[in-house]
Every structure is written in structure tokens, then in C-alpha cells.
Coordinates of all heavy atoms in Angstrom, one line a residue:
M21 N 96.6 55.8 81.7 CA 97.7 56.4 81.0 C 97.7 57.9 81.2 O 96.6 58.5 81.0 CB 97.7 56.0 79.5 CG 98.9 56.7 78.8 SD 98.9 56.3 77.0 CE 99.5 54.7 77.0
D22 N 98.7 58.5 81.6 CA 98.8 59.9 81.9 C 99.3 60.6 80.6 O 100.3 60.2 80.0 CB 99.8 60.2 83.1 CG 99.7 61.6 83.5 OD1 98.7 62.3 83.3 OD2 100.8 62.0 84.0
H23 N 98.6 61.7 80.3 CA 99.0 62.5 79.1 C 99.2 63.9 79.5 O 98.3 64.5 80.0 CB 97.9 62.4 78.0 CG 97.6 61.0 77.6 ND1 98.4 60.4 76.6 CD2 96.6 60.2 77.9 CE1 97.9 59.2 76.4 NE2 96.8 59.0 77.2
D24 N 100.4 64.4 79.2 CA 100.7 65.8 79.4 C 100.0 66.7 78.4 O 99.9 66.4 77.3 CB 102.2 65.9 79.3 CG 102.7 67.3 79.5 OD1 102.9 67.7 80.7 OD2 102.8 68.0 78.5
H25 N 99.5 67.8 78.9 CA 98.7 68.7 78.0 C 99.6 69.2 76.9 O 99.1 69.4 75.8 CB 98.1 69.8 78.8 CG 99.1 70.8 79.4 ND1 99.7 70.5 80.6 CD2 99.6 71.9 79.0 CE1 100.6 71.5 80.9 NE2 100.5 72.3 79.9
T26 N 100.8 69.4 77.1 CA 101.7 69.8 76.0 C 101.8 68.7 74.9 O 101.8 69.1 73.7 CB 103.1 70.2 76.6 OG1 103.0 71.1 77.6 CG2 104.0 70.7 75.5
D27 N 101.8 67.5 75.3 CA 101.9 66.4 74.4 C 100.6 66.4 73.5 O 100.6 66.1 72.3 CB 102.0 65.0 75.1 CG 103.4 64.9 75.7 OD1 104.3 65.6 75.4 OD2 103.5 64.0 76.6
I28 N 99.5 66.6 74.2 CA 98.2 66.6 73.4 C 98.2 67.7 72.4 O 97.8 67.5 71.2 CB 97.0 66.7 74.4 CG1 96.9 65.5 75.3 CG2 95.7 67.0 73.6 CD1 96.0 65.7 76.5
Y29 N 98.6 68.9 72.8 CA 98.6 70.0 71.9 C 99.6 69.8 70.7 O 99.3 70.0 69.6 CB 99.0 71.3 72.6 CG 99.1 72.5 71.7 CD1 97.9 73.2 71.4 CD2 100.3 73.0 71.3 CE1 98.0 74.3 70.5 CE2 100.4 74.1 70.4 CZ 99.2 74.7 70.1 OH 99.3 75.8 69.2
A30 N 100.8 69.3 71.1 CA 101.8 69.0 70.0 C 101.3 67.9 69.0 O 101.5 68.1 67.8 CB 103.1 68.5 70.7
R31 N 100.6 66.9 69.5 CA 100.1 65.9 68.7 C 98.9 66.5 67.8 O 98.8 66.1 66.6 CB 99.6 64.7 69.5 CG 99.1 63.6 68.6 CD 100.3 63.0 67.8 NE 99.7 62.1 66.8 CZ 100.1 62.0 65.5 NH1 101.2 62.7 65.1 NH2 99.6 61.1 64.7
L32 N 98.1 67.3 68.4 CA 97.1 68.0 67.6 C 97.7 68.8 66.5 O 97.2 68.8 65.3 CB 96.2 68.9 68.5 CG 95.1 69.7 67.9 CD1 94.2 68.8 67.1 CD2 94.4 70.4 68.9
V33 N 98.7 69.5 66.7 CA 99.4 70.3 65.7 C 99.9 69.4 64.6 O 99.8 69.7 63.4 CB 100.6 71.2 66.3 CG1 101.4 71.8 65.2 CG2 100.0 72.3 67.2
T34 N 100.5 68.3 65.0 CA 101.0 67.3 64.0 C 99.9 66.8 63.1 O 100.1 66.7 61.9 CB 101.8 66.2 64.7 OG1 102.9 66.7 65.5 CG2 102.3 65.2 63.8
V35 N 98.8 66.4 63.8 CA 97.7 65.9 63.0 C 97.2 67.0 62.0 O 96.9 66.7 60.8 CB 96.5 65.4 63.9 CG1 95.2 65.2 63.1 CG2 96.9 64.2 64.7
L36 N 97.0 68.2 62.5 CA 96.6 69.3 61.6 C 97.5 69.5 60.4 O 97.1 69.7 59.3 CB 96.4 70.6 62.4 CG 95.2 70.6 63.3 CD1 95.2 71.8 64.3 CD2 93.9 70.6 62.6
S37 N 98.8 69.4 60.7 CA 99.8 69.7 59.7 C 99.9 68.5 58.7 O 99.9 68.7 57.5 CB 101.2 69.9 60.3 OG 101.2 71.0 61.1
D38 N 100.0 67.3 59.2 CA 100.2 66.1 58.4 C 99.0 65.7 57.7 O 99.0 65.4 56.5 CB 100.8 65.0 59.2 CG 102.2 65.2 59.7 OD1 102.8 66.2 59.3 OD2 102.6 64.4 60.6
K39 N 97.9 65.5 58.4 CA 96.7 65.0 57.8 C 95.9 66.0 57.0 O 95.3 65.7 56.0 CB 95.8 64.3 58.8 CG 94.6 63.6 58.2 CD 94.0 62.6 59.2 CE 92.9 61.9 58.4 NZ 92.5 60.7 59.1
F40 N 95.8 67.2 57.6 CA 95.0 68.3 56.9 C 95.8 69.3 56.2 O 95.2 70.3 55.7 CB 94.1 68.9 58.0 CG 93.1 67.9 58.6 CD1 93.5 67.2 59.8 CD2 91.9 67.6 58.0 CE1 92.6 66.2 60.3 CE2 91.1 66.6 58.5 CZ 91.4 65.9 59.7
E41 N 97.1 69.2 56.2 CA 98.0 70.0 55.4 C 97.9 71.5 55.8 O 98.0 72.4 54.9 CB 97.8 69.8 53.9 CG 98.0 68.3 53.5 CD 97.8 68.1 52.0 OE1 97.4 69.0 51.3 OE2 98.1 66.9 51.6
V42 N 97.7 71.7 57.1 CA 97.7 73.1 57.5 C 99.1 73.5 57.8 O 99.8 72.8 58.6 CB 96.8 73.3 58.8 CG1 96.9 74.7 59.4 CG2 95.4 72.8 58.6
P43 N 99.6 74.6 57.3 CA 101.0 75.0 57.6 C 101.2 75.2 59.1 O 100.3 75.9 59.7 CB 101.1 76.3 56.8 CG 100.1 76.3 55.8 CD 99.0 75.5 56.3
A44 N 102.2 74.6 59.7 CA 102.4 74.6 61.1 C 102.5 76.1 61.6 O 102.1 76.3 62.8 CB 103.6 73.9 61.5
D45 N 103.0 77.0 60.8 CA 103.1 78.4 61.3 C 101.8 79.1 61.5 O 101.7 80.2 62.0 CB 104.1 79.1 60.5 CG 103.7 79.3 59.0 OD1 102.7 78.6 58.6 OD2 104.3 80.1 58.3
R46 N 100.7 78.5 60.9 CA 99.4 79.1 61.1 C 98.7 78.6 62.3 O 97.6 79.1 62.7 CB 98.6 78.8 59.8 CG 99.1 79.6 58.6 CD 98.3 79.4 57.4 NE 96.9 79.8 57.7 CZ 95.8 79.2 57.1 NH1 96.0 78.3 56.2 NH2 94.6 79.6 57.4
I47 N 99.2 77.5 62.9 CA 98.5 76.9 64.0 C 98.9 77.5 65.3 O 100.1 77.5 65.6 CB 98.7 75.4 64.0 CG1 98.3 74.7 62.7 CG2 98.0 74.7 65.2 CD1 98.8 73.3 62.5
N48 N 98.0 78.0 66.1 CA 98.2 78.4 67.4 C 97.0 78.2 68.2 O 95.9 77.9 67.7 CB 98.7 79.9 67.4 CG 97.6 80.8 66.9 OD1 96.5 80.9 67.4 ND2 97.8 81.4 65.7
E49 N 97.1 78.4 69.5 CA 96.0 78.0 70.4 C 94.7 78.8 70.1 O 93.6 78.3 70.2 CB 96.4 78.3 71.9 CG 97.4 77.4 72.4 CD 97.7 77.6 73.9 OE1 96.7 77.8 74.6 OE2 98.8 77.7 74.2
A50 N 94.9 80.1 69.7 CA 93.7 80.9 69.4 C 93.1 80.7 68.0 O 92.0 81.2 67.8 CB 94.1 82.4 69.6
A51 N 93.8 80.1 67.2 CA 93.2 79.9 65.8 C 92.0 79.0 65.9 O 92.0 77.9 66.5 CB 94.3 79.2 64.9
T52 N 90.9 79.4 65.2 CA 89.8 78.6 65.1 C 90.0 77.6 63.9 O 90.9 77.8 63.1 CB 88.5 79.4 64.8 OG1 88.6 79.9 63.5 CG2 88.3 80.4 65.8
L53 N 89.2 76.5 63.9 CA 89.3 75.6 62.8 C 88.9 76.2 61.5 O 89.4 75.9 60.5 CB 88.4 74.3 63.2 CG 88.9 73.6 64.5 CD1 87.9 72.4 64.7 CD2 90.3 73.2 64.4
D54 N 88.0 77.2 61.6 CA 87.7 78.0 60.4 C 88.9 78.8 59.9 O 89.2 78.9 58.7 CB 86.5 79.0 60.6 CG 85.2 78.3 60.6 OD1 85.0 77.2 60.1 OD2 84.2 78.9 61.2
D55 N 89.6 79.4 60.9 CA 90.8 80.1 60.5 C 91.8 79.2 59.8 O 92.6 79.7 58.9 CB 91.6 80.6 61.8 CG 90.8 81.7 62.5 OD1 89.9 82.4 61.9 OD2 91.1 81.9 63.7
L56 N 91.8 77.9 60.1 CA 92.8 77.0 59.5 C 92.2 76.4 58.2 O 92.8 75.5 57.7 CB 93.1 75.9 60.5 CG 93.7 76.4 61.8 CD1 94.0 75.2 62.8 CD2 95.0 77.2 61.6
E57 N 91.0 76.9 57.8 CA 90.4 76.6 56.6 C 89.9 75.1 56.5 O 89.9 74.4 55.5 CB 91.2 76.9 55.4 CG 91.5 78.4 55.3 CD 92.4 78.8 54.1 OE1 92.7 78.0 53.3 OE2 92.7 80.0 54.1
L58 N 89.5 74.6 57.7 CA 88.9 73.3 57.8 C 87.4 73.4 57.5 O 86.7 74.1 58.3 CB 89.2 72.6 59.1 CG 90.6 72.3 59.5 CD1 90.7 71.6 60.8 CD2 91.3 71.4 58.4
D59 N 86.9 72.7 56.6 CA 85.4 72.8 56.3 C 84.8 71.8 57.3 O 85.4 71.1 58.1 CB 85.1 72.5 54.9 CG 85.5 71.1 54.5 OD1 85.7 70.2 55.3 OD2 85.6 70.9 53.2
S60 N 83.4 71.8 57.3 CA 82.7 71.0 58.3 C 83.0 69.5 58.2 O 83.2 68.9 59.3 CB 81.2 71.2 58.2 OG 80.8 70.9 56.9
L61 N 83.2 69.0 57.0 CA 83.6 67.6 56.9 C 85.0 67.4 57.5 O 85.2 66.4 58.2 CB 83.6 67.2 55.4 CG 83.9 65.7 55.1 CD1 83.0 64.8 55.8 CD2 83.9 65.5 53.6
A62 N 85.9 68.3 57.3 CA 87.3 68.1 57.8 C 87.3 68.2 59.3 O 88.0 67.5 60.0 CB 88.2 69.2 57.2
V63 N 86.4 69.1 59.9 CA 86.3 69.2 61.3 C 85.8 67.9 61.9 O 86.4 67.4 62.9 CB 85.4 70.3 61.7 CG1 85.1 70.3 63.2 CG2 86.0 71.7 61.3
V64 N 84.8 67.3 61.3 CA 84.3 66.0 61.8 C 85.5 64.9 61.6 O 85.7 64.1 62.5 CB 83.0 65.5 61.1 CG1 82.7 64.1 61.4 CG2 81.9 66.5 61.5
E65 N 86.1 64.9 60.5 CA 87.2 64.0 60.3 C 88.3 64.2 61.3 O 88.9 63.2 61.8 CB 87.8 64.2 58.9 CG 88.8 63.1 58.5 CD 89.3 63.3 57.1 OE1 88.7 64.0 56.3 OE2 90.3 62.6 56.8
L66 N 88.6 65.4 61.7 CA 89.6 65.7 62.8 C 89.2 65.0 64.1 O 89.9 64.4 64.7 CB 89.8 67.2 63.0 CG 90.6 67.6 64.2 CD1 92.1 67.2 64.0 CD2 90.6 69.1 64.3
Y67 N 87.9 65.2 64.4 CA 87.4 64.6 65.6 C 87.5 63.1 65.6 O 87.9 62.5 66.6 CB 85.9 65.0 65.9 CG 85.8 66.2 66.8 CD1 86.5 67.3 66.6 CD2 84.9 66.1 67.9 CE1 86.3 68.4 67.5 CE2 84.7 67.2 68.7 CZ 85.5 68.3 68.5 OH 85.3 69.4 69.4
V68 N 87.2 62.5 64.5 CA 87.3 61.0 64.4 C 88.7 60.6 64.5 O 89.0 59.6 65.2 CB 86.7 60.6 63.0 CG1 87.0 59.1 62.8 CG2 85.2 60.8 63.0
T69 N 89.6 61.4 63.9 CA 91.0 61.0 64.0 C 91.5 61.1 65.4 O 92.2 60.2 65.9 CB 91.9 62.0 63.1 OG1 91.4 61.9 61.7 CG2 93.3 61.8 63.2
L70 N 91.1 62.2 66.1 CA 91.5 62.3 67.5 C 90.9 61.2 68.4 O 91.6 60.7 69.3 CB 91.2 63.7 68.0 CG 91.9 64.8 67.3 CD1 91.4 66.2 67.8 CD2 93.4 64.7 67.5
Q71 N 89.7 60.9 68.1 CA 89.0 59.8 68.9 C 89.8 58.5 68.7 O 90.1 57.8 69.7 CB 87.6 59.5 68.4 CG 86.6 60.6 68.8 CD 85.3 60.3 68.3 OE1 84.6 59.4 68.8 NE2 84.8 61.1 67.3
E72 N 90.2 58.2 67.5 CA 91.0 57.0 67.3 C 92.4 57.1 67.9 O 92.9 56.1 68.4 CB 91.1 56.7 65.8 CG 89.8 56.4 65.1 CD 89.8 56.3 63.6 OE1 90.9 56.6 63.0 OE2 88.8 56.0 63.0
E73 N 93.0 58.2 67.7 CA 94.4 58.4 68.3 C 94.4 58.3 69.8 O 95.3 57.7 70.3 CB 94.9 59.8 67.8 CG 96.2 60.1 68.4 CD 97.3 60.3 67.4 OE1 97.0 60.1 66.2 OE2 98.4 60.5 67.8
W74 N 93.5 59.0 70.5 CA 93.5 59.0 71.9 C 92.6 58.0 72.6 O 92.6 58.0 73.8 CB 93.2 60.4 72.4 CG 94.3 61.4 72.0 CD1 94.2 62.3 70.9 CD2 95.6 61.6 72.6 NE1 95.4 63.0 70.9 CE2 96.3 62.6 71.8 CE3 96.2 61.0 73.6 CZ2 97.5 63.0 72.2 CZ3 97.5 61.4 74.0 CH2 98.1 62.4 73.2
Q75 N 91.8 57.4 71.8 CA 90.8 56.4 72.3 C 89.9 57.1 73.3 O 89.7 56.7 74.5 CB 91.5 55.2 73.0 CG 92.4 54.4 72.0 CD 91.5 53.8 70.9 OE1 90.6 53.1 71.2 NE2 91.9 54.0 69.7
V76 N 89.4 58.3 72.9 CA 88.5 59.1 73.8 C 87.2 59.3 73.0 O 87.2 59.4 71.8 CB 89.0 60.4 74.2 CG1 90.2 60.3 75.1 CG2 89.4 61.3 72.9
P77 N 86.0 59.4 73.7 CA 84.8 59.5 73.0 C 84.4 61.0 72.8 O 83.5 61.5 73.3 CB 83.8 58.9 74.0 CG 84.4 59.2 75.4 CD 85.9 59.1 75.1
L78 N 85.2 61.6 71.9 CA 84.8 63.0 71.5 C 83.5 63.1 70.9 O 83.2 62.2 70.0 CB 85.9 63.6 70.5 CG 87.1 64.2 71.1 CD1 88.1 64.5 70.0 CD2 86.9 65.4 71.9
D79 N 82.7 64.0 71.3 CA 81.3 64.1 70.7 C 81.4 65.0 69.4 O 81.5 66.2 69.5 CB 80.4 64.8 71.7 CG 79.0 64.9 71.2 OD1 78.7 64.5 70.1 OD2 78.2 65.5 72.0
D80 N 81.3 64.3 68.3 CA 81.5 65.1 67.0 C 80.3 65.9 66.7 O 80.3 66.8 65.8 CB 81.8 64.2 65.9 CG 80.8 63.1 65.6 OD1 79.8 63.1 66.2 OD2 81.1 62.2 64.8
S81 N 79.2 65.8 67.5 CA 78.0 66.7 67.3 C 78.4 68.1 67.8 O 77.7 69.1 67.5 CB 76.8 66.2 68.0 OG 76.9 66.2 69.4
T82 N 79.4 68.2 68.6 CA 79.9 69.5 69.1 C 81.0 70.1 68.2 O 81.4 71.2 68.5 CB 80.4 69.4 70.5 OG1 81.6 68.6 70.6 CG2 79.3 68.9 71.5
A83 N 81.4 69.4 67.2 CA 82.5 69.8 66.4 C 82.0 71.0 65.5 O 81.0 70.9 64.9 CB 83.0 68.7 65.5
S84 N 82.8 72.1 65.5 CA 82.4 73.2 64.7 C 83.7 74.0 64.3 O 84.7 73.9 65.0 CB 81.4 74.1 65.3 OG 82.0 75.0 66.2
G85 N 83.6 74.8 63.3 CA 84.7 75.6 62.9 C 85.0 76.7 63.8 O 86.0 77.3 63.8
D86 N 84.0 77.0 64.7 CA 84.3 78.1 65.7 C 85.2 77.7 66.8 O 85.7 78.5 67.6 CB 82.9 78.5 66.3 CG 82.0 79.2 65.3 OD1 82.5 79.7 64.3 OD2 80.8 79.2 65.5
L87 N 85.4 76.4 67.0 CA 86.3 75.9 68.0 C 87.7 76.3 67.8 O 88.2 76.3 66.6 CB 86.3 74.4 68.1 CG 84.9 73.8 68.6 CD1 85.0 72.3 68.4 CD2 84.6 74.2 70.0
T88 N 88.5 76.7 68.8 CA 89.9 77.0 68.6 C 90.7 75.7 68.8 O 90.2 74.7 69.3 CB 90.3 78.0 69.7 OG1 90.2 77.4 71.0 CG2 89.5 79.3 69.6
V89 N 91.9 75.8 68.4 CA 92.9 74.7 68.6 C 92.9 74.4 70.1 O 92.9 73.2 70.5 CB 94.2 75.0 68.0 CG1 95.2 73.9 68.4 CG2 94.1 75.1 66.5
A90 N 92.9 75.4 71.0 CA 93.0 75.2 72.4 C 91.7 74.5 72.9 O 91.8 73.6 73.8 CB 93.2 76.5 73.1
D91 N 90.6 74.8 72.3 CA 89.3 74.2 72.7 C 89.4 72.7 72.4 O 89.0 71.8 73.2 CB 88.1 74.7 71.9 CG 87.8 76.2 72.3 OD1 88.1 76.6 73.4 OD2 87.2 76.8 71.4
V92 N 89.9 72.3 71.3 CA 89.9 70.9 70.9 C 90.9 70.2 71.8 O 90.7 69.1 72.3 CB 90.3 70.8 69.4 CG1 90.5 69.3 69.0 CG2 89.3 71.4 68.5
S93 N 92.1 70.8 72.0 CA 93.1 70.2 72.9 C 92.5 70.0 74.3 O 92.7 69.0 74.9 CB 94.3 71.1 72.9 OG 95.3 70.6 73.8
R94 N 91.8 71.0 74.7 CA 91.2 70.9 76.1 C 90.2 69.8 76.2 O 90.1 69.1 77.2 CB 90.5 72.3 76.4 CG 90.0 72.4 77.8 CD 89.4 73.8 78.1 NE 90.4 74.8 77.8 CZ 90.2 75.7 76.8 NH1 89.2 75.7 76.0 NH2 91.1 76.6 76.5
A95 N 89.4 69.7 75.1 CA 88.4 68.6 75.1 C 89.0 67.2 75.2 O 88.5 66.4 76.0 CB 87.5 68.7 73.8
V96 N 90.1 67.0 74.5 CA 90.8 65.7 74.6 C 91.4 65.6 76.0 O 91.2 64.5 76.6 CB 91.9 65.6 73.5 CG1 92.8 64.4 73.7 CG2 91.3 65.6 72.1
A97 N 92.0 66.6 76.5 CA 92.6 66.6 77.8 C 91.6 66.2 78.9 O 91.8 65.4 79.8 CB 93.3 67.9 78.1
E98 N 90.4 66.9 78.8 CA 89.4 66.6 79.8 C 88.9 65.1 79.7 O 88.7 64.5 80.8 CB 88.2 67.5 79.5 CG 88.4 68.9 79.9 CD 87.3 69.9 79.6 OE1 86.3 69.5 78.9 OE2 87.4 71.0 79.9
L99 N 88.8 64.6 78.5 CA 88.4 63.2 78.4 C 89.5 62.2 78.9 O 89.2 61.1 79.3 CB 88.0 62.9 77.0 CG 86.7 63.6 76.5 CD1 86.6 63.4 75.0 CD2 85.5 63.0 77.2
L100 N 90.7 62.7 78.8 CA 91.8 61.9 79.3 C 92.1 62.1 80.8 O 92.9 61.5 81.4 CB 93.1 62.2 78.5 CG 93.1 61.8 77.1 CD1 94.3 62.3 76.4 CD2 93.1 60.2 77.0
G101 N 91.3 63.1 81.4 CA 91.5 63.3 82.8 C 92.7 64.2 83.2 O 93.1 64.1 84.3
D102 N 93.1 65.0 82.2 CA 94.3 65.9 82.5 C 93.8 67.1 83.3 O 93.0 67.9 82.7 CB 94.9 66.3 81.2 CG 96.2 67.1 81.4 OD1 96.4 67.7 82.4 OD2 97.0 67.1 80.5
P103 N 94.3 67.3 84.5 CA 93.9 68.4 85.2 C 94.3 69.8 84.7 O 93.7 70.8 85.0 CB 94.5 68.2 86.6 CG 95.7 67.3 86.3 CD 95.3 66.5 85.2
D104 N 95.3 69.8 83.8 CA 95.7 71.1 83.2 C 94.9 71.5 82.0 O 95.0 72.5 81.4 CB 97.2 71.0 82.8 CG 98.1 70.9 84.0 OD1 97.7 71.4 85.1 OD2 99.1 70.3 83.9
R105 N 94.0 70.6 81.6 CA 92.9 70.8 80.6 C 93.4 71.2 79.2 O 92.8 72.0 78.5 CB 92.0 71.8 81.1 CG 91.3 71.3 82.3 CD 90.2 72.1 82.7 NE 89.4 71.4 83.7 CZ 88.1 71.4 83.8 NH1 87.4 72.1 83.0 NH2 87.5 70.7 84.7
G106 N 94.6 70.7 78.8 CA 94.9 70.8 77.4 C 95.6 72.0 76.9 O 96.0 72.1 75.7
A107 N 95.6 73.1 77.6 CA 96.2 74.3 77.1 C 97.7 74.1 77.0 O 98.3 73.6 78.0 CB 95.9 75.5 77.9
A108 N 98.4 74.6 76.0 CA 99.8 74.4 75.9 C 100.5 75.5 76.6 O 100.0 76.6 76.8 CB 100.2 74.4 74.4

């Protein structure tokens, strides 16, 4: 299945907004998960959610608040084989 990097980023924004109640206007590619006030448990929960959503083996041992939204989107895109690597 082919996934457009823009679709991955948009879905990530939706997950952050809907599941983690992050205001959409605070989410951008450069925002870290810490910036979005996700604690360590929420970061791992985000990874688990994305693994289930995209059926990709995200390594939650690498999950940290220092990651940007673009980093997370890129990680999903790489696992899906998207050559554009997830940047919106």
C-alpha cells in the first residue's frame, strides 16, 4: 500500500489532536513532543497508536519527547517505504 507523506503527517496531526487533545494550531513539523506537552507515557502511547494505525513496527524504545512531529512522521514514512520520508 502506498502512503503519501502528506497523508501520514495529516493523520499524525489528527491523532495528536483527537487522542491527546493537543490544539491543532500548536502542532507543526518543528514542534517536539515535549513542546506539545506529551509526557513519556503519552509518547509511548502515541507510538503504540501509530503502530496499530499504520501496521508498522515503530521502536518505542526510541520514543522520546525530544522528537519533533516531523521526526515521528518520517519514522512512519520510512517504515512504510515512502521515499519522501514523511515531511509535509
Side-chain angles (χ1 to χ4, degrees):
M21 179 182 284
D22 187 27
H23 299 282
D24 179 85
H25 65 277
T26 304
D27 292 341
I28 295 167
Y29 179 79
R31 185 62 191 143
L32 178 55
V33 170
T34 299
V35 168
L36 288 167
S37 295
D38 291 353
K39 186 165 185 161
F40 297 95
E41 300 180 354
V42 177
D45 62 345
R46 292 184 52 209
I47 302 169
N48 61 67
E49 291 182 45
T52 66
L53 300 178
D54 282 340
D55 293 339
L56 302 177
E57 299 179 7
L58 296 180
D59 63 21
S60 58
L61 182 60
V63 171
V64 170
E65 187 177 349
L66 172 65
Y67 263 51
V68 170
T69 299
L70 295 175
Q71 288 180 70
E72 292 172 357
E73 174 114 3
W74 293 101
Q75 300 297 308
V76 293
L78 275 173
D79 180 4
D80 59 9
S81 69
T82 64
S84 82
D86 294 336
L87 294 171
T88 65
V89 173
D91 292 335
V92 176
S93 178
R94 185 177 310 110
V96 172
E98 287 175 355
L99 291 168
L100 291 171
D102 185 335
D104 293 330
R105 299 188 165 218

